[in-house]
Amino acid sequence: MTITLEQATKWINLFIEKLEQNRSTLNELDTAIGDGDHGTNMDRGAKAIKEALAKKTPADLSELFKTVAFAIIQKVGGASGPLYGTAFLDMSKEAKSESDLAKLIGVGSDGIKRRGQSDVKMKTMIDVWDPTSQALANGQLTKEDVNNYLNSTKDMVATKGRASYLEQKSKGHLDPGSQSSAYLFDALLEAMGA
Amino acid sequence: MKYGIVILSHSPKIAAGVHDLIEQAAPSISITFAGGTEDNEIGSSLEKIQKAFEDNQGDQLLAFYDLGSSKMNLEMYMEMTDLNIHKYDVALVEGAYTAATLAEIESPLASIEQSLAKLKIK
């Protein structure tokens, strides 16, 4: 399945909406096992993306992702800045010659792994990104799937990121970065009309 | 070869404090730093990091950081620049101090790195 500029623009706008609506949910999740600012940081990123897109309408998919990446890198502040920023920057490079959605998300997922030196089962956003990109590659992704990926982080013990300092105590809480990633992919499914 | 040292921290005060501390050990080395977000809150800013590297007078830049997103932003910057940056995964204060002391007496990079290896904690 390919993604058009129009669909991707809708996707990003829906993501911005979800981040603005769920700022306190993300902060609460992050208070349990982090420093409590994931919602605030992502909301700041969302507003920066909105501002950048209002200033200049991207001409193609690559430019859209680049605009998103730079807004996030400059404004988010926390660890999610370089992580989401790298994902969108790598997707922007890939989108110059590729519009297949599964491939793009796969490249984004690999970017996050490289930046965070992380992989699945570490209780990070990769636990949503990695299975999502695989499901897309198999041509089937539903909101229920995304929700399952998110929920799988609950019983994991964190071995990367701030939550890893809590060791066993990180168990029993959803990973905040996985929750914001779930918003991202819910928004994607809505934009693609699924 | 001219050394420079760059300090990155989530906290503006830690970054400035480590700078003040190691400056004592290396008065002739260019030491720059980036701390906190754009608004000087706790966090990390790629823009500040970029400026700290660009302002540094050294041509072999030894970089020290504290926590996760300082490291990630540093690595992102290293992918974007042609500057000669050496990143050390060592205790921030002790590592930067050791490097400053040895850089001041113009130790070869290999021997600085040998001393830093003992301080690797991440």
Side-chain angles (χ1 to χ4, degrees), chain A residues 2-43:
Chain A
T2 58
I3 183 166
T4 64
L5 173 62
E6 196 191 346
Q7 287 167 322
T9 305
K10 199 171 164 196
W11 169 28
I12 298 304
N13 285 327
L14 286 166
F15 181 43
I16 290 171
E17 252 176 53
K18 287 179 197 294
L19 291 175
E20 288 176 338
Q21 285 163 2
N22 294 290
R23 174 189 161 124
S24 55
T25 308
L26 290 175
N27 277 343
E28 279 159 31
L29 290 174
D30 197 28
T31 300
I33 54 171
D35 53 358
D37 62 2
H38 187 50
T40 307
N41 288 340
M42 291 305 287
D43 184 43

Side-chain angles (χ1 to χ4, degrees), chain B residues 42-61:
Chain B
I42 299 295
S44 138
S45 151
L46 187 64
E47 235 171 293
K48 276 193 172 177
I49 290 171
Q50 184 172 3
K51 190 169 179 336
F53 280 104
E54 285 172 357
D55 288 349
N56 198 294
Q57 306 297 314
D59 49 37
Q60 294 293 329
L61 301 171

Side-chain angles (χ1 to χ4, degrees), chain A residues 79-127:
Chain A
S80 41
L83 291 168
Y84 276 106
T86 300
F88 275 98
L89 205 55
D90 286 4
M91 281 159 60
S92 164
K93 285 175 198 156
E94 186 73 9
K96 282 182 183 156
S97 58
E98 181 65 71
S99 62
D100 182 77
L101 184 58
K103 285 200 181 127
L104 290 169
I105 302 298
V107 164
S109 182
D110 288 345
I112 296 172
K113 287 181 190 173
R114 178 179 89 252
R115 182 66 62 232
Q117 287 164 323
S118 54
D119 211 330
V120 290
K121 305 283 177 215
M122 292 178 165
K123 197 177 180 102
T124 72
M125 55 203 285
I126 282 300
D127 290 307

Side-chain angles (χ1 to χ4, degrees), chain B:
Chain B
M1 186 174 73
K2 210 165 86 186
Y3 289 118
I5 294 180
V6 182
I7 305 297
L8 311 172
S9 171
H10 276 232
S11 154
K13 287 183 186 166
I14 289 179
V18 174
H19 164 269
D20 294 351
L21 177 70
I22 70 172
E23 201 178 29
Q24 304 283 317
S28 63
I29 300 289
S30 176
I31 304 165
T32 50
F33 59 94
T37 65
E38 277 181 4
D39 310 322
N40 290 322
E41 302 286 330
I42 299 295
S44 138
S45 151
L46 187 64
E47 235 171 293
K48 276 193 172 177
I49 290 171
Q50 184 172 3
K51 190 169 179 336
F53 280 104
E54 285 172 357
D55 288 349
N56 198 294
Q57 306 297 314
D59 49 37
Q60 294 293 329
L61 301 171
L62 315 181
F64 300 88
Y65 65 91
D66 55 2
L67 299 170
S69 64
S70 292
K71 181 187 189 188
M72 289 192 280
N73 271 324
L74 168 59
E75 286 171 348
M76 184 166 342
Y77 179 65
M78 287 170 72
E79 285 176 13
M80 291 162 39
T81 182
D82 295 328
L83 293 174
N84 284 315
I85 301 178
H86 309 270
K87 167 181 71 81
Y88 298 108
D89 305 323
V90 296
L92 172 62
V93 175
E94 290 82 351
Y97 198 88
T98 300
T101 309
L102 294 173
E104 180 69 22
I105 57 166
E106 289 168 26
S107 298
L109 189 61
S111 71
I112 295 181
E113 294 192 336
Q114 204 175 0
S115 296
L116 287 175
K118 287 174 247 165
L119 298 168
K120 189 168 158 58
I121 54 162
K122 44 203 175 190

